[in-house]
C-alpha cells in the first residue's frame, strides 16, 4: 500500500505530460473567447461553456495557480446536490492525489518544517490543496451517488485507514484534515461491514476512531468520531467490535454534563443508546463504575429539557366578607333637653311626640310590645307624681296613631308573642359622640364637634384659657390627675382626645373579615364565638408539561428504560411486553422461563442487577420531578419510581 502512495506522489510531483499541456492550452483559449462580462453569472457561464475536463486538466497540470483555481471552483460546486463526481471522468482520482500526498509524507514534512519557522510558500500551498481536495470529497459524499462511488473506490479505504492510524490531531491543519476524513467515513458507513476484530490493526478504523473520540480536543472532531462509531455499531454485522470498556463510551459519559451544548449532548446520547441497545453491553454497563452518575445525568437531561406551564385551580366556594372596622350603632336615648321639653306636654300628645323621637317607621321592622312599654316607662315613670303617665295598653295603641303602617299583633306560639310590626328603635352611630366634650365630668353641654382639632380648640378656649387660676385640675370625664399649670394642662388634655384616624391594622391583617355565611350578623359582641369561616383562597397550583419532550429527552428516557429493564429483569417490577409498552424498548417477553433464567444467571449478572436497582433507588427523587405529556411514557416514569421505592440493593 505504501508503494501505491509513493507512485502517486511521484507522478504528481513531475511536470504534466505534453498531451495534458496541449489540452490545457486549448481549453485556455476557448475560455478566453467565451469569457462573460458579468461576474455574477460566472458559475452559470462556467457550467454551460467551460469544458468539464478543464478542471481535471488544471488539477493534473502541476501548476499551483491552476490547481488552486480548480479546487476553488470545485469547493463551490460540491455544495450543490447536482454535483456528481462521475460526470467528470477521472476527477475522483485527481482529487485523491493531494490527500494521498498529505497522509503519506506531507503531514510529517509540514510538522518538521513548521516546528520553528513558517512553512515555505510552496509547501503551504500543497497543504492547502490537500485540505481543499479532502473538503470536496467530504461534501460530495452527501450526495448518494457520490457516496456509492467513493465507498467502492479502491483509494478511499486506504486513504481513510492510513489517515486514521498515522495522523494525530496535534495541529490545526491535521485536525481539520482528520475531521474531513472522519466525516467522509461517516457518509459511507451506512452499509460498511468492518473486518473482524482480530484482523490487522491497520485494516480496522474502530480503534483510532475510539481514540479520537476520547482524546481529541476539537469539538467537531469529537462529534464526527462519535457519530461515525454510532453508525458503524448500529450495523448488526459490526457488533463484535463493541466492548464494555470502549474509550468512546467513557467520552460520551464525560461530555453528558455539557447541557448547554445541545449538539454534543445529542451525539453522546445517541452513541450511549446504540451501545446499550445490545444486551451484553447493557449487562456489562451495570458493573460500570459510572453507572450511578450516568443514570443521574440522564434524568437531569430530561429535567433540563422539560417545558412546563403552571396551572392554578381555585376550589374555594363563594366568600362573604365584611369590613374589619364596622360602623356600629346603638339605640337612641332621650337627651336631657328633650326630656325637659316633653314632660310638660299633656298626654297623649306627649306620647305621640316621644314616639316620633324614639322610633322610625320600617316595613320589616319589629318590636315586642314589652320593649315599647319599657322604653316609655323608663322615660317618664320617675316623673309620674308631677306628670301623669299612660297605661301600657294606651301606649301600645298610640303606636298605630303615630305610624300608620304599624300594627300591634299576637303571633301564635307556643309561646305566643305580642309584637308591634312596622317600626323599630331609632339608631345612631355608636361613635356619633366621639368628639363630644367631656369636661366638667361630662357635664359640658356643647354640641358634638366634627374633629379632634375642633374639640381641642374648644377645650382650650372655653375651659382652660378662660379660667383665671394659673393651675387647674383636669376634669375630663373621670380623670383624677392633680392640678397642673395651664401650659402643662394643654398637653395633658391631648391624652384624652380620640384620634381622627382609624386604629392601625396588625401586620398581615386584612381590611375585611370573612363571614361564615351570607347575611351572618357582624359585628357581634363576642367575635371568638363566630363559626370558622371558609378560607378565602383555596387555590391549588401545579405544573404540567406544555409540549412533548424533545429528541434528547426521549433518547435519555430510552437509555434509562433499557437500564431499568436489565436491572429489574429478575424482579416482578421488570416491564413486560404489552399494548401499553409497545414492546419497545427492550421489553422482555413473559415466557414463563424467568425463574429458570434467573437461576442460570452468573454472579456478575446478579451483582450488576443489585447495583442497577441501587442506582435507580438513588435517582427516584429526581424521577419524581419528571413530567411527560404522553400518558404511556409517563407510565414508564411512574413504574420506575414505584420500583425505586422497594428496589433491593
Amino acid at each position: 500500500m505504501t508503494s501505491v502512495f509513493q507512485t502517486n506522489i511521484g507522478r504528481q510531483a513531475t511536470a504534466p505530460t505534453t498531451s495534458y499541456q496541449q489540452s490545457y492550452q486549448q481549453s485556455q483559449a476557448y475560455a478566453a473567447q467565451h469569457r462573460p462580462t458579468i461576474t455574477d453569472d460566472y458559475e452559470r457561464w462556467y457550467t454551460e461553456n467551460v469544458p468539464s475536463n478543464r478542471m481535471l486538466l488544471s488539477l493534473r497540470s502541476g501548476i499551483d495557480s491552476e490547481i488552486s483555481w480548480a479546487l476553488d471552483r470545485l469547493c463551490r460546486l460540491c455544495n450543490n446536490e447536482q454535483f456528481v463526481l462521475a460526470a467528470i471522468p477521472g476527477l475522483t482520482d485527481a482529487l485523491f492525489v493531494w490527500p494521498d500526498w498529505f497522509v503519506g509524507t506531507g503531514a510529517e514534512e509540514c510538522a518538521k518544517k513548521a516546528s520553528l519557522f513558517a512553512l515555505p510558500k510552496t509547501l503551504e500551498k500543497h497543504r492547502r490543496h490537500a485540505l481543499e481536495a479532502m473538503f470536496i470529497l467530504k461534501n460530495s459524499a452527501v450526495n448518494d451517488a457520490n457516496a456509492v462511488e467513493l465507498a467502492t473506490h479502491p483509494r478511499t479505504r486506504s486513504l481513510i485507514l492510513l489517515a486514521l492510524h498515522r495522523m494525530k490531531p496535534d495541529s490545526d491543519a491535521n485536525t481539520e484534515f482528520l475531521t474531513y476524513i472522519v466525516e467522509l467515513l461517516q457518509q459511507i458507513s451506512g452499509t460498511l461491514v468492518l473486518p473482524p476484530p482480530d484482523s490487522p490493526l491497520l485494516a480496522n478504523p474502530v480503534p483510532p476512531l475510539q481514540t479520537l473520540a476520547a482524546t481529541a480536543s476539537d469539538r467537531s472532531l469529537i462529534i464526527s468520531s462519535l457519530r461515525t462509531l454510532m453508525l458503524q455499531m448500529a450495523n448488526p454485522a459490526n457488533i463484535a467490535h463493541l466492548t464494555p470498556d470502549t474509550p468512546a463510551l467513557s467520552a460520551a459519559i464525560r461530555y453528558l454534563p455539557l447541557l448547554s451544548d445541545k449538539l454534543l449532548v445529542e451525539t453522546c446520547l445517541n452513541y450511549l443508546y446504540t451501545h446499550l441497545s445490545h444486551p451484553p453491553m447493557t449487562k456489562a454497563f451495570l458493573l460500570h463504575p459510572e453507572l450511578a452518575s450516568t443514570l443521574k445525568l440522564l434524568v437531569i437531561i430530561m429535567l433540563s429539557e422539560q417545558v412546563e406551564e403552571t396551572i392554578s385551580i381555585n376550589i374555594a366556594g363563594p366568600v362573604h366578607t365584611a369590613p374589619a372596622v364596622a360602623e356600629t350603632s346603638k339605640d337612641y336615648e332621650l337627651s336631657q333637653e328633650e326630656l325637659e321639653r316633653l314632660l310638660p306636654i299633656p298626654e297623649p300628645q306627649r306620647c305621640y311626640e316621644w314616639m316620633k323621637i324614639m322610633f322610625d317607621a320600617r316595613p320589616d321592622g319589629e318590636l315586642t310590645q314589652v320593649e315599647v312599654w319599657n322604653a316609655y316607662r323608663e322615660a317618664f315613670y320617675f316623673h309620674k307624681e308631677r306628670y301623669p303617665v299612660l297605661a301600657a295598653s294606651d301606649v301600645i295603641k298610640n303606636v298605630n296613631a303615630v305610624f300608620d303602617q304599624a300594627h300591634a299583633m299576637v303571633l301564635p306560639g307556643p309561646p305566643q308573642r305580642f309584637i308591634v310590626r312596622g317600626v323599630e328603635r331609632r339608631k345612631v352611630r355608636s361613635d356619633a359622640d366621639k368628639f363630644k366634650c367631656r369636661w366638667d365630668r361630662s357635664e359640658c353641654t356643647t354640641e358634638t364637634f366634627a374633629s379632634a382639632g375642633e374639640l381641642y380648640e374648644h377645650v382650650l378656649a372655653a375651659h382652660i384659657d378662660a379660667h383665671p387660676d394659673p393651675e387647674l385640675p383636669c376634669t375630663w370625664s373621670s380623670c383624677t390627675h392633680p392640678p397642673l399649670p395651664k401650659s402643662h394642662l394643654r398637653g395633658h388634655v391631648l391624652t384624652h382626645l380620640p384620634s381622627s384616624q382609624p386604629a392601625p391594622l396588625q401586620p398581615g391583617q386584612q381590611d375585611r373579615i370573612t363571614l361564615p355565611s351570607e347575611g351572618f350578623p357582624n359585628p357581634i359582641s363576642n367575635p371568638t364565638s363566630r363559626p370558622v369561616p371558609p378560607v378565602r383562597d383555596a387555590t391549588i397550583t401545579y405544573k404540567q408539561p406544555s409540549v412533548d419532550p424533545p429528541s434528547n429527552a426521549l433518547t435519555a428516557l430510552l437509555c434509562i428504560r433499557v437500564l431499568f429493564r436489565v436491572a429489574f429483569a429478575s424482579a416482578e417490577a421488570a416491564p413486560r411486553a404489552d399494548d401499553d409498552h409497545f414492546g419497545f424498548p427492550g421489553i422482555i417477553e413473559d415466557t414463563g422461563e424467568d425463574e429458570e433464567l434467573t437461576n442460570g444467571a452468573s454472579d456478575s449478572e446478579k451483582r450488576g442487577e443489585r447495583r442497577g436497582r441501587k442506582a435507580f433507588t438513588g435517582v427516584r427523587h429526581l424521577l419524581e420531578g419528571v413530567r411527560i405529556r404522553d400518558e404511556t411514557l409517563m407510565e414508564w416514569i411512574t413504574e420506575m419510581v414505584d420500583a425505586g421505592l422497594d428496589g433491593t440493593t
Side-chain angles (χ1 to χ4, degrees):
M1 186 173 296
T2 305
S3 61
V4 174
F5 285 115
Q6 291 176 347
T7 303
N8 290 336
I9 295 169
R11 182 171 65 246
Q12 192 279 332
T14 59
T17 61
T18 304
S19 59
Y20 284 165
Q21 290 178 348
Q22 293 176 352
S23 299
Y24 173 73
Q25 293 172 357
Q26 293 174 0
S27 63
Q28 288 276 37
Y30 180 88
Q33 295 176 4
H34 298 80
R35 191 178 302 274
T37 56
I38 302 176
T39 57
D40 293 342
D41 296 335
Y42 182 79
E43 296 297 336
R44 179 179 57 81
W45 167 85
Y46 169 79
T47 56
E48 295 177 356
N49 298 283
V50 177
S52 60
N53 63 351
R54 180 186 172 185
M55 285 187 295
L56 180 61
L57 296 176
S58 297
L59 289 174
R60 295 180 174 178
S61 65
I63 303 174
D64 289 335
S65 59
E66 292 301 322
I67 296 173
S68 299
W69 172 85
L71 291 174
D72 181 66
R73 301 284 79 77
L74 288 172
C75 285
R76 299 182 183 182
L77 292 174
C78 67
N79 289 324
N80 193 331
E81 294 181 356
Q82 299 179 355
F83 178 72
V84 180
L85 293 173
I88 307 177
L91 178 60
T92 305
D93 289 328
L95 289 174
F96 273 108
V97 171
W98 288 107
D100 284 343
W101 165 80
F102 192 70
V103 172
T105 59
E108 184 178 355
E109 184 178 354
C110 291
K112 291 180 180 179
K113 294 188 177 181
S115 59
L116 295 177
F117 305 101
L119 286 177
K121 292 185 177 180
T122 302
L123 189 58
E124 184 178 1
K125 289 181 180 179
H126 291 175
R127 185 178 65 179
R128 176 51 50 190
H129 295 341
L131 293 174
E132 290 179 351
M134 200 62 237
F135 175 81
I136 295 168
L137 290 172
K138 181 263 299 186
N139 276 5
S140 62
V142 177
N143 190 325
D144 292 340
N146 294 334
V148 172
E149 179 178 353
L150 291 174
T152 57
H153 197 281
R155 301 176 68 173
T156 303
R157 184 179 180 87
S158 61
L159 174 64
I160 292 175
L161 291 174
L162 286 177
L164 291 176
H165 285 278
R166 287 187 178 183
M167 298 183 62
K168 303 297 180 185
D170 51 5
S171 65
D172 293 342
N174 287 3
T175 301
E176 181 181 357
F177 189 86
L178 281 173
T179 302
Y180 295 156
I181 286 288
V182 175
E183 290 179 355
L184 174 60
L185 178 59
Q186 176 183 340
Q187 297 297 333
I188 64 176
S189 293
T191 58
L192 181 64
V193 177
L194 300 175
D198 56 354
S199 60
L201 181 62
L202 291 179
N204 189 358
V206 174
L209 285 174
Q210 299 274 9
T211 303
L212 289 176
T215 61
S217 59
D218 184 79
R219 172 180 175 273
S220 299
L221 185 56
I222 295 171
I223 294 176
S224 300
S225 301
L226 288 175
R227 283 181 173 177
T228 304
L229 287 169
M230 178 190 66
L231 291 175
Q232 292 176 351
M233 298 304 116
N235 189 341
N238 299 329
I239 295 178
H241 290 270
L242 277 176
T243 57
D245 55 350
T246 171
L249 177 62
S250 301
I253 296 174
R254 183 168 65 250
Y255 299 132
L256 278 181
L258 303 178
L259 301 181
S260 59
D261 194 338
K262 301 292 185 182
L263 184 58
L264 180 58
V265 172
E266 179 184 5
T267 304
C268 294
L269 285 172
N270 290 334
Y271 178 82
L272 180 60
Y273 177 66
T274 302
H275 183 89
L276 296 177
S277 296
H278 302 286
M281 296 299 103
T282 311
K283 294 180 180 179
F285 191 77
L286 293 180
L287 299 172
H288 197 283
E290 301 293 337
L291 170 64
S293 59
T294 302
L295 191 58
K296 183 177 180 179
L297 279 173
L298 292 174
V299 180
I300 291 176
I301 290 174
M302 295 187 64
L303 293 173
S304 66
E305 300 281 354
Q306 196 165 268
V307 180
E308 295 180 321
E309 60 182 352
T310 302
I311 305 297
S312 298
I313 301 177
N314 191 355
I315 61 174
V319 178
H320 308 285
T321 61
V325 181
E327 294 184 358
T328 58
S329 60
K330 64 180 181 178
D331 294 339
Y332 181 77
E333 300 291 342
L334 277 177
S335 65
Q336 187 65 28
E337 293 82 358
E338 291 173 330
L339 178 61
E340 293 176 356
R341 181 179 63 84
L342 290 175
L343 284 175
I345 301 176
E347 294 289 358
Q349 190 64 33
R350 183 180 65 182
C351 183
Y352 296 160
E353 295 297 328
W354 172 78
M355 286 186 177
K356 292 179 181 178
I357 296 173
M358 299 297 293
F359 300 101
D360 288 328
R362 185 174 179 181
D364 57 346
E366 182 180 297
L367 290 172
T368 64
Q369 296 179 12
V370 174
E371 289 175 340
V372 177
W373 163 246
N374 288 338
Y376 177 83
R377 187 180 62 177
E378 290 175 0
F380 303 109
Y381 188 77
F382 294 103
H383 306 279
K384 65 179 181 178
E385 306 240 346
R386 295 182 56 190
Y387 306 101
V389 296
L390 297 174
S393 58
D394 295 331
V395 173
I396 300 303
K397 292 178 181 178
N398 289 339
V399 176
N400 183 254
V402 177
F403 302 99
D404 297 336
Q405 71 276 20
H407 301 281
M409 61 182 65
V410 179
L411 298 179
Q416 290 183 337
R417 296 181 60 214
F418 297 85
I419 65 170
V420 178
R421 180 165 293 175
V423 296
E424 67 176 3
R425 282 291 297 266
R426 182 182 175 186
K427 302 291 184 181
V428 294
R429 291 176 51 184
S430 59
D431 60 348
D433 56 352
K434 180 178 180 179
F435 300 113
K436 183 175 178 57
C437 180
R438 308 291 181 184
W439 202 263
D440 291 337
R441 305 304 175 193
S442 301
E443 295 296 329
C444 181
T445 59
T446 308
E447 296 291 335
T448 302
F449 295 94
S451 65
E454 295 179 3
L455 175 59
Y456 182 64
E457 294 294 336
H458 161 75
V459 173
L460 293 182
H463 302 298
I464 298 179
D465 293 342
H467 204 281
D469 296 338
E471 293 187 358
L472 295 175
C474 178
T475 60
W476 184 278
S477 187
S478 59
C479 181
T480 58
H481 202 283
L484 293 172
K486 290 183 177 180
S487 58
H488 293 177
L489 187 59
R490 294 188 185 98
H492 170 75
V493 169
L494 293 175
T495 64
H496 297 302
L497 301 185
S499 174
S500 300
Q501 303 297 327
L505 299 176
Q506 295 294 331
Q509 181 181 359
Q510 299 183 356
D511 58 351
R512 298 184 69 84
I513 60 175
T514 306
L515 301 179
S517 61
E518 186 178 7
F520 193 87
N522 181 67
I524 57 178
S525 58
N526 185 12
T528 59
S529 64
R530 183 171 53 225
V532 178
V535 294
R536 290 191 182 185
D537 185 11
T539 302
I540 298 177
T541 302
Y542 63 94
K543 292 184 177 181
Q544 68 178 17
S546 57
V547 297
D548 292 326
S551 59
N552 281 4
L554 290 176
T555 306
L557 176 58
L558 291 177
C559 294
I560 297 172
R561 190 65 179 175
V562 171
L563 291 172
F564 176 74
R565 182 271 317 262
V566 178
F568 291 84
S570 60
E572 294 182 357
R576 305 292 169 180
D578 53 28
D579 294 338
D580 292 336
H581 295 92
F582 307 109
F584 181 82
I587 305 303
I588 61 176
E589 299 288 345
D590 188 3
T591 59
E593 300 177 356
D594 295 338
E595 184 177 357
E596 180 181 352
L597 293 175
T598 304
N599 294 335
S602 62
D603 293 339
S604 61
E605 291 178 352
K606 294 179 180 179
R607 183 161 55 90
E609 289 186 11
R610 289 194 296 269
R611 293 186 77 249
R613 295 175 192 176
K614 183 177 181 179
F616 273 94
T617 302
V619 299
R620 179 183 58 82
H621 65 288
L622 290 177
L623 282 172
E624 290 176 348
V626 177
R627 300 287 184 271
I628 303 179
R629 189 163 64 173
D630 185 89
E631 294 182 0
T632 302
L633 298 181
M634 192 61 213
E635 287 178 3
W636 289 7
I637 300 296
T638 304
E639 185 179 4
M640 290 186 287
V641 170
D642 294 342
L645 289 172
D646 55 0
T648 57
T649 58

